[in-house]
Amino acid sequence: MTKLPGKTIERLSQYRRSLLVCVENGKDYIFSHELAELHHITPVQVRRDLMLLAYSSVYRKGYPVRQLIEAIGTKLESPEGQNVAIMGMGNLGSALSQYLASVRPKLKVVAGFDVDSSKSGKIISGVKCHALSELKSIIDSENISIGIMTVPQSAAIEACELLCKAGIKGILNFTHVSLTVPDNVFLEEYDMITSLEKVAYFVKQSEE
Amino acid sequence: MTKLPGKTIERLSQYRRSLLVCVENGKDYIFSHELAELHHITPVQVRRDLMLLAYSSVYRKGYPVRQLIEAIGTKLESPEGQNVAIMGMGNLGSALSQYLASVRPKLKVVAGFDVDSSKSGKIISGVKCHALSELKSIIDSENISIGIMTVPQSAAIEACELLCKAGIKGILNFTHVSLTVPDNVFLEEYDMITSLEKVAYFVKQSEE
DNA sequence: TTAAATTTGTGAATCAATTCACACTTTATT
DNA sequence: AATAAAGTGTGAATTGATTCACAAATTTAA
Ligand SMILES: NC(=O)c1ccc[n+]([C@@H]2O[C@H](COP(=O)([O-])OP(=O)(O)OC[C@H]3O[C@@H](n4cnc5c(N)ncnc54)[C@H](O)[C@@H]3O)[C@@H](O)[C@H]2O)c1
Ligand SMILES: NC(=O)c1ccc[n+]([C@@H]2O[C@H](COP(=O)([O-])OP(=O)(O)OC[C@H]3O[C@@H](n4cnc5c(N)ncnc54)[C@H](O)[C@@H]3O)[C@@H](O)[C@H]2O)c1
């Protein structure tokens, strides 16, 4: 299967969320210009993206919503789902585990890890928390391929190494430490400060 | 002043964070290739970005770290700072306010807002929480230009309208609802699910 | 059943971001 | 002093993403 560009993947993920809302509202078909408007992009962009799904619409009726959701899901997800671990069950880590449980059934948060031994064995926000010593064995046994890093900055590099050694395949990094991972691990930085500073910059600009 | 591309702004924000770490470590000068390596990009990219700052290095010694931090700050920030409000002081909103206080002094979280009247007047995670009825007057009096949206999905559109009407200039949106704002308001969507789904996709790919 | 209107899919063009390639400045070495 | 080495800054080329422009398919209306 061909690898889609990251930008397209991002948009497909977003389209799907809008489409799920359409289903709730009983909307069965959607035109490219409608989807475009919802996401503040052009209809051509939408069609280009959907083109890459090798997915064809019904002429003049638009795209059938349910089938489209299905088609996006087939591209984005493994049929058997993927398991996720959270590294660092503090403020953000526990907010996230609670939250993620509710949104994407195919991405299941199945374990949390924390140095704080008082958390070991406890269930925090619906996720069982383990000691770091169990990392490798649980990642193997639970078949976890994705790690979310929500440890303090100071522990980030070390925690990342542990995850990689334990055989994780993808990391979503919430710390602001720029990490280095082996080639076979996919790393996505998720940086709130940067986003906020970007907003601040454009606001400042608009005031000048 | 010329408007820099959003991509460059993002990187400048990230460079600055690395540079602050350099200062802590007593490193006074840094080469473009060092900065590049920290961020997994090319040295040319770094130099291009710094070029846009109209900032010149000392030949063969690299860029003076403190001056560079200063120069980035001048581009990114207003000297008098910018004030931020959080809309929806729930799990994420309060985690954020606590967190932001500690990282960027020029971006100050000065107020929280919530429909939940039991929160009105209380200080949550160091930020005073107000009723929605006070929104406009506090945004004016506290000179708030940036809003962070952490309300439930269902309240997102309404809350966004309120913020815009109250004269906010930039919004960082943590809900997954695609919002529409007037032209003079800068909107940045910050979407965790999309990031996580992107990681999941590339992990899936690498397994095939 | 013909003409007009709507919407898709896509080659070609454009616009944006990144990288290449290299001249130039400085420092170190001989 | 001349030469080599290390880095920078930037025009030109390349790569990638988005938009334009339009043919083809379908529906609607006359
Ligand atoms: N709180 C926020 O809203 C927020 C927002 C953006 C980014 N972040 C980033 O997320 C990270 C966590 O923030 P937080 O507010 O949840 O902090 P926190 O202190 O509440 O949580 C950190 C957790 O990690 C655990 N930990 C420490 N060292 C560890 C290690 N080596 N291995 C595993 N676990 C370890 C701690 O015991 C703690 O439970 C920080 O890097 C922060 O910069 C937080
Ligand atoms: N919790 C997370 O880790 C997380 C992660 C990513 C995104 N999000 C998104 O952030 C948003 C908030 O998540 P949360 O977990 O903090 O939810 P939450 O329910 O804990 O908090 C929401 C808060 O908003 C308040 N609120 C409701 N309607 C409001 C209105 N009209 N105006 C102002 N305040 C209002 C509620 O009283 C509550 O305090 C959601 O949209 C969620 O999708 C959350």
Side-chain angles (χ1 to χ4, degrees):
Chain A
M1 212 197 288
T2 43
K3 194 156 132 179
L4 305 184
K7 284 280 181 76
T8 296
I9 294 298
E10 289 177 11
R11 283 188 300 260
L12 288 176
S13 159
Q14 285 155 14
Y15 298 157
R16 180 164 64 168
R17 268 207 308 276
S18 304
L19 293 169
L20 289 166
V21 175
C22 289
V23 166
E24 274 175 32
N25 299 342
K27 190 172 169 64
D28 286 333
Y29 291 88
I30 191 165
F31 295 125
S32 60
H33 67 259
E34 293 175 307
L35 205 39
E37 195 173 18
L38 286 171
H39 295 273
H40 312 300
I41 57 177
T42 65
V44 187
Q45 181 75 83
V46 171
R47 296 203 297 273
R48 282 264 174 229
D49 288 334
L50 299 188
M51 224 178 101
L52 297 178
L53 287 180
Y55 182 76
S56 242
S57 77
V58 177
Y59 267 112
R60 286 253 347 184
K61 282 188 79 176
Y63 299 85
V65 175
R66 279 159 209 277
Q67 282 179 44
L68 196 46
I69 291 171
E70 194 60 28
I72 294 176
T74 306
K75 268 288 177 203
L76 258 49
E77 294 164 342
S78 309
E80 66 281 6
Q82 281 163 293
N83 291 334
V84 178
I86 295 193
M87 192 72 170
M89 290 293 280
N91 283 324
L92 186 59
S94 48
L96 272 173
S97 29
Q98 192 168 13
Y99 172 69
L100 289 176
S102 67
V103 277
R104 266 301 92 75
K106 284 281 168 77
L107 291 173
K108 211 151 170 261
V109 180
V110 295
F113 296 94
D114 206 295
V115 265
D116 183 347
S117 57
S118 73
K119 290 180 179 165
S120 297
K122 294 226 179 79
I123 291 186
I124 300 175
S125 304
V127 172
K128 182 143 184 204
C129 190
H130 304 270
L132 291 180
S133 58
E134 295 181 85
L135 187 69
K136 179 136 183 60
S137 70
I138 290 177
I139 284 190
D140 284 348
S141 65
E142 295 275 356
N143 191 27
I144 295 170
S145 56
I146 297 171
I148 296 182
M149 294 250 313
T150 50
V151 301
Q153 318 286 347
S154 56
I157 292 175
E158 186 200 334
C160 175
E161 270 174 24
L162 281 179
L163 280 174
C164 292
K165 276 201 199 119
I168 214 87
K169 286 289 180 292
I171 292 179
L172 179 56
N173 179 27
F174 281 90
T175 75
H176 308 132
V177 178
S178 175
L179 300 173
T180 304
V181 295
D183 277 354
N184 65 330
V185 175
F186 181 85
L187 174 66
E188 175 84 3
E189 306 276 348
Y190 189 73
D191 190 333
M192 298 189 193
I193 298 296
T194 290
S195 299
L196 188 59
E197 291 190 335
K198 191 171 161 194
V199 174
Y201 171 80
F202 284 109
V203 166
K204 175 169 99 93
Q205 282 295 310
S206 75
E207 282 168 355
E208 271 166 17
Chain B
M1 213 195 289
T2 42
K3 194 155 133 179
L4 305 183
K7 282 278 181 77
T8 295
I9 295 299
E10 289 177 11
R11 282 189 300 259
L12 288 176
S13 158
Q14 285 155 15
Y15 298 157
R16 180 163 64 168
R17 267 206 309 275
S18 304
L19 293 169
L20 290 167
V21 175
C22 290
V23 168
E24 276 175 30
N25 299 341
K27 189 172 169 64
D28 287 333
Y29 291 88
I30 191 166
F31 294 124
S32 60
H33 66 260
E34 293 175 307
L35 206 39
E37 195 173 18
L38 286 171
H39 295 274
H40 312 300
I41 57 177
T42 67
V44 188
Q45 180 76 80
V46 172
R47 295 203 298 271
R48 281 264 175 228
D49 287 334
L50 299 188
M51 223 178 100
L52 297 178
L53 286 181
Y55 182 74
S56 242
S57 78
V58 178
Y59 267 112
R60 287 254 345 185
K61 282 187 78 176
Y63 299 84
V65 175
R66 280 157 209 278
Q67 283 179 43
L68 196 46
I69 291 172
E70 194 61 28
I72 294 176
T74 307
K75 267 290 176 202
L76 258 50
E77 293 164 344
S78 310
E80 66 282 5
Q82 281 164 291
N83 291 333
V84 178
I86 295 192
M87 192 74 170
M89 291 293 280
N91 283 322
L92 186 58
S94 47
L96 272 172
S97 30
Q98 192 168 12
Y99 172 70
L100 290 176
S102 67
V103 277
R104 264 303 93 73
K106 285 281 168 74
L107 291 173
K108 210 151 173 262
V109 179
V110 295
F113 296 94
D114 206 296
V115 264
D116 183 346
S117 58
S118 73
K119 290 180 179 164
S120 297
K122 293 226 180 80
I123 292 186
I124 300 176
S125 305
V127 171
K128 183 143 182 201
C129 190
H130 304 271
L132 291 180
S133 58
E134 295 181 86
L135 187 69
K136 181 140 183 57
S137 71
I138 289 178
I139 284 189
D140 285 349
S141 65
E142 295 274 358
N143 191 26
I144 295 170
S145 56
I146 297 170
I148 296 182
M149 294 248 315
T150 49
V151 301
Q153 318 286 347
S154 56
I157 291 174
E158 185 200 336
C160 175
E161 270 174 23
L162 281 178
L163 280 174
C164 291
K165 275 200 198 121
I168 213 87
K169 286 289 179 295
I171 292 179
L172 179 56
N173 179 27
F174 281 89
T175 75
H176 307 132
V177 178
S178 175
L179 300 173
T180 303
V181 296
D183 276 354
N184 65 331
V185 175
F186 181 85
L187 174 66
E188 174 83 2
E189 307 275 350
Y190 189 72
D191 191 334
M192 299 189 195
I193 297 297
T194 291
S195 299
L196 188 59
E197 290 192 334
K198 192 172 160 193
V199 174
Y201 171 79
F202 285 109
V203 166
K204 175 168 99 90
Q205 282 296 311
S206 75
E207 282 167 353
E208 273 167 16

